[in-house]
Amino acid sequence: MQTGLVDSKVAVEQKTLEGIGVAPVVDTTSTFSDNLSLPIHRWFRYSAGFSALWVRKLINQEKAKGPVNVLDPFAGSGTVLIEGELCDAKAAGIEAHPFVARITKTKLYWRENPDDFYDYAHNILSKTKVQERDISGYPKLIHQCFLPENLSKLDSLRRAWEAEAANNVNLPLSELTWLALVSILRSCSPVGTAQWQYVLPNKSKAKVIDPYDAFESRVRLMAQDMRVRRRQPLGPPATLYFGDARDCIDIPDGWANLVITSPPYANNYDYADSTRLEMSFFGEIEGWGDLHNAVRKYLIRSCTQHAAKHNKEVYTILKEPLLSPIGEEISEVCKLLDAERAKHGGQKPYHTLIATYFSDMAKMWVALRRATSDDSSICFVIGDSAPYGIYVPVHKWLGDLAVAAGFKSYSFEKTRDRNVKWKNRKHRIPLCEGHLWIKG
Ligand SMILES: C[S@@+](CC[C@H](N)C(=O)[O-])C[C@H]1O[C@@H](n2cnc3c(N)ncnc32)[C@H](O)[C@@H]1O
């Protein structure tokens, strides 16, 4: 699920079929909520994820026509890959966020022996030593997010995992245990986490779980999911590439005949920040300032923190040949955004965000055209945006760029409105989310 640029609480329109006693219909295509009850999917709560059941339906529809090679160029937590395996399709994904890619690769180790994993993780739990922990070296955010007792316990789990990883060559079992630890961190913290996984040290939450209990029950759940999943159809193992959708370099020419994906939206969400807590805990970053080099630089430019580095080049970027199909329209919108910027205290460079976002997405379409077959079906879950209240027709521009890259045609099917409840909104532009269908 994605939030609008300034509407952090998404307004889900519930269409009640009044008078005939039918329950409200809510489109959950673009939300991760279903996945929290599904084996493997639920190992890490990635709010950016979309519905596994909807993905399953799409893959099965395509399978009725013949063999399927499904690609997700923005794989995130691997929803399409895990469902591809279940539906007996060949599945490949690309993810550019190093930490998220590692999580997804680890989920794909579900074929390991569940008992071996359980024993491996329990051995680590049995080696934890709380008494002698020196936790002073953790970054400030970690001290803001955990009480000393819980941080000591988490640290002892981390140290025991590291010691075992250094001695033991069983990478899958080590990585599954790493994921168990990653996925309990937020439940052991008394501070709030926003709907979008940002950490909110000033908000508190009532339920805080003891790290050892959380780890034990997470390991049990993962082992149980591995057993359940082994009783379901296996399908060929899916592959996750840590790479870039703008070149799809690991995908052979014409490989995919189905693409199901949800790219970053042009809505100023910083994916790098979504795993700041976890990366800080594991010592991969010291603080927010390290996120650019550790993560953001690999990603599609979809937030102002990232795009701002290109403020000086924005009018050159707008002249790139790949943007020419939407050249006049995007230049007009960027000029308006540039002028509007001066009227706002924050002076957010949304004009640069929009120019760089579409420049990146234009490259992605060229790469995707090469990686897909002539008869491919492509579905992008996408939403539009309105920075400073200036409307950006995201799905139209993405469709135009796809056709310019060599795809046959596109259509857009709205699945829900956003920003329709005016209260507390910074602008009144109605926004929507839906499926951009592209014909190969
Ligand atoms: C909306 S999320 C996809 C979530 C996914 N559908 C799921 O169910 O977990 C978009 C993903 O694109 C990734 N991303 C951003 N830039 C990328 C790039 N250049 N290449 C590949 N992935 C990228 C982000 O890190 C993020 O995980």
Side-chain angles (χ1 to χ4, degrees):
M1 180 186 69
Q2 302 255 352
T3 57
L5 186 70
V6 283
D7 55 338
S8 61
K9 284 184 193 156
V10 177
V12 178
E13 192 189 32
Q14 301 213 351
K15 295 180 179 132
T16 312
L17 300 178
E18 282 172 46
I20 52 171
V22 178
V25 177
V26 179
D27 186 283
T28 54
T29 302
S30 58
T31 68
F32 195 73
S33 49
D34 294 352
N35 303 12
L36 292 175
S37 58
L38 295 174
I40 322 295
H41 293 288
R42 61 180 167 180
W43 290 1
F44 184 76
R45 187 190 183 115
Y46 195 42
S47 313
F50 54 25
S51 158
L53 297 178
W54 170 74
V55 169
R56 190 180 302 175
K57 199 171 102 193
L58 272 191
I59 298 177
N60 280 329
Q61 273 168 7
E62 285 302 306
K63 275 207 73 195
K65 300 178 202 160
V68 166
N69 285 3
V70 61
L71 172 66
D72 185 346
F74 299 98
S77 60
T79 309
V80 170
L81 304 184
I82 292 159
E83 287 304 312
E85 291 185 331
L86 191 68
C87 300
D88 197 17
K90 286 188 184 148
I94 304 168
E95 172 55 51
H97 187 315
F99 199 84
V100 174
R102 185 173 175 190
I103 288 171
T104 303
K105 277 193 179 188
T106 305
K107 286 165 88 178
L108 296 176
Y109 288 137
W110 64 262
R111 288 167 205 252
E112 292 298 309
N113 184 311
D115 296 328
D116 289 351
F117 162 59
Y118 189 84
D119 291 347
Y120 187 98
H122 264 256
N123 179 36
I124 282 169
L125 188 57
S126 73
K127 289 182 176 162
T128 51
K129 296 186 205 95
V130 171
Q131 287 9 327
E132 324 116 38
R133 311 295 344 149
D134 173 11
I135 51 172
S136 59
Y138 277 96
K140 190 169 154 221
L141 177 73
I142 295 300
H143 287 284
Q144 283 173 324
C145 287
F146 296 101
L147 298 169
E149 190 196 350
N150 271 6
L151 182 53
S152 291
K153 289 183 175 179
L154 289 167
D155 179 70
S156 67
L157 279 165
R158 178 185 155 194
R159 301 291 166 202
W161 169 76
E162 280 170 352
E164 196 62 24
N167 296 328
N168 198 311
V169 286
N170 194 322
L171 184 73
L173 298 187
S174 173
E175 288 297 274
L176 285 162
T177 309
W178 168 82
L179 180 55
L181 182 50
V182 168
S183 69
I184 63 164
L185 290 178
R186 289 176 194 239
S187 66
C188 303
S189 161
V191 311
T193 45
Q195 180 191 21
W196 262 87
Q197 289 190 320
Y198 289 126
V199 181
L200 304 170
N202 298 331
K203 288 207 167 174
S204 61
K205 64 175 186 278
K207 201 171 163 204
V208 182
I209 307 181
D210 173 82
Y212 295 158
D213 292 346
F215 183 76
E216 212 283 325
S217 78
R218 176 51 54 149
V219 166
R220 208 166 347 101
L221 176 126
M222 287 171 68
Q224 180 198 321
D225 280 2
M226 289 157 82
R227 284 185 203 104
V228 168
R229 186 58 189 83
R230 283 168 148 228
R231 293 196 289 269
Q232 296 173 325
L234 285 180
T239 310
L240 186 274
Y241 299 101
F242 167 52
D244 192 335
R246 288 167 291 188
D247 57 34
C248 295
I249 211 158
D250 295 298
I251 312 298
D253 291 1
W255 182 82
N257 58 3
L258 176 65
V259 175
I260 307 172
T261 197
S262 176
Y265 294 7
N267 69 357
N268 209 20
Y269 177 68
D270 185 7
Y271 282 94
D273 208 0
S274 69
T275 54
R276 179 151 54 119
L277 177 78
E278 290 80 5
M279 293 179 76
S280 302
F281 176 73
F282 281 96
E284 297 192 13
I285 52 168
E286 275 297 310
W288 189 87
D290 293 340
L291 280 175
H292 187 79
N293 273 339
V295 180
R296 209 179 285 123
K297 70 175 181 193
Y298 298 111
L299 308 181
I300 294 277
R301 292 167 289 183
S302 61
C303 62
T304 49
Q305 292 92 328
H306 193 175
K309 301 197 181 305
H310 305 276
N311 276 348
K312 290 197 179 119
E313 309 146 47
V314 65
Y315 290 99
T316 315
I317 292 170
L318 287 169
K319 290 195 189 105
E320 286 173 359
L322 280 182
L323 284 181
S324 66
I326 57 167
E328 277 182 29
E329 292 169 74
I330 192 172
S331 297
E332 197 51 42
V333 166
C334 288
K335 270 186 218 146
L336 289 174
L337 287 170
D338 198 359
E340 190 66 26
R341 176 185 186 213
K343 300 181 201 161
H344 297 260
Q347 301 239 331
K348 296 247 184 187
Y350 292 131
H351 62 309
T352 319
L353 187 163
I354 296 302
T356 52
Y357 176 81
F358 283 97
S359 165
D360 285 351
M361 293 301 275
K363 292 190 185 88
M364 180 278 306
W365 284 125
V366 174
L368 201 61
R369 179 61 288 191
R370 183 198 53 73
T372 48
S373 63
D374 281 347
D375 58 348
S376 52
S377 306
I378 295 169
C379 184
F380 271 53
V381 177
I382 191 76
D384 46 17
S385 58
Y388 285 148
I390 294 168
Y391 183 66
V392 180
V394 175
H395 45 84
K396 178 187 177 297
W397 288 355
L398 286 182
D400 289 347
L401 291 172
V403 170
F407 290 99
K408 289 192 191 89
S409 61
Y410 72 88
S411 58
F412 182 71
E413 177 198 0
K414 182 171 96 172
T415 53
R416 67 178 183 176
D417 291 309
R418 297 185 298 139
N419 209 40
V420 285
K421 291 184 182 164
W422 306 131
K423 221 173 127 198
N424 297 329
R425 298 280 179 264
K426 288 192 182 158
H427 65 74
R428 294 180 164 230
I429 310 292
L431 296 174
C432 74
E433 199 167 33
H435 302 155
L436 178 64
W437 296 95
I438 313 275
K439 285 216 171 95

